[in-house]
Amino acid sequence: HYEDDHLKVVGELVKTPTRSKPQPWTTVRRKAAVVIAPITADGKLLLIREERVPIRATIWSVPAGQIDDEKDKIEVTALRELREETGHELAPGGEMIPLGHFFTSPGLTNENCYLFIARHVRPAGQPEDESIVECRAFSLADVQRMIAENEIRDANTLSIYARMAARGFLKEY
């Protein structure tokens, strides 16, 4: 139905184990993406405040971005997005910790996001993405409060926070 550099909307007839007759289905196909939780040396999480046109709002979230080319390494994309969206990079001795992946909205899209903790990060310049309004470090207690009060409400940030909690990373800070 539609295609550009970021997505493709396709209609197809789908037969599944629970649907014996083929059913029409519309799917949004998207490139895989990365989602990064940048942690500073003092244990704070960097969040970006970004314009989000579809919801007509500017919201706090962790940095993320699509993997532009299948040849790109997933971790290389995560490091690039960290730099572009936060103006930070891994500090000497820092590490990228993979946390698996998730599907953003599997009833609508095949988008798959790879999760990473970037521990420890340091400033390396200004963010390069013009839709980023602000980048700021928050304590994990502040982030938890922001989630509880619905100030943070995007799937990427909620998913990586949940994965970090489930894997015991939030106890370290």
Side-chain angles (χ1 to χ4, degrees), residues 90-109:
L90 283 180
E95 62 184 325
M96 293 295 284
I97 303 168
L99 296 179
H101 64 94
F102 78 103
F103 296 101
T104 59
S105 185
L108 171 69
T109 179

Side-chain angles (χ1 to χ4, degrees), residues 34-97:
V34 294
V35 177
I36 308 104
I39 305 291
T40 62
D42 61 352
K44 292 186 177 179
L45 177 65
L46 290 182
L47 295 177
I48 56 173
R49 193 158 171 249
E50 185 173 16
E51 296 174 337
R52 291 304 195 185
V53 173
I55 62 170
R56 307 295 194 263
T58 303
I59 62 171
W60 287 106
S61 64
V62 293
Q66 284 188 325
I67 301 168
D68 293 327
D69 187 337
E70 289 181 19
K71 296 175 192 156
D72 279 354
K73 300 283 187 217
I74 296 167
E75 188 173 315
V76 169
T77 300
L79 289 167
R80 183 188 70 233
E81 292 296 331
L82 172 66
R83 172 73 186 218
E84 288 177 1
E85 295 195 358
T86 70
H88 285 69
E89 65 186 5
L90 283 180
E95 62 184 325
M96 293 295 284
I97 303 168

Side-chain angles (χ1 to χ4, degrees), residues 2-21:
Y2 174 81
E3 183 175 355
D4 66 18
D5 290 340
H6 303 286
L7 62 88
K8 182 190 301 187
V9 180
V10 298
E12 54 196 338
L13 288 175
V14 178
K15 184 178 175 184
T16 70
T18 59
R19 295 181 172 104
S20 59
K21 290 180 159 182

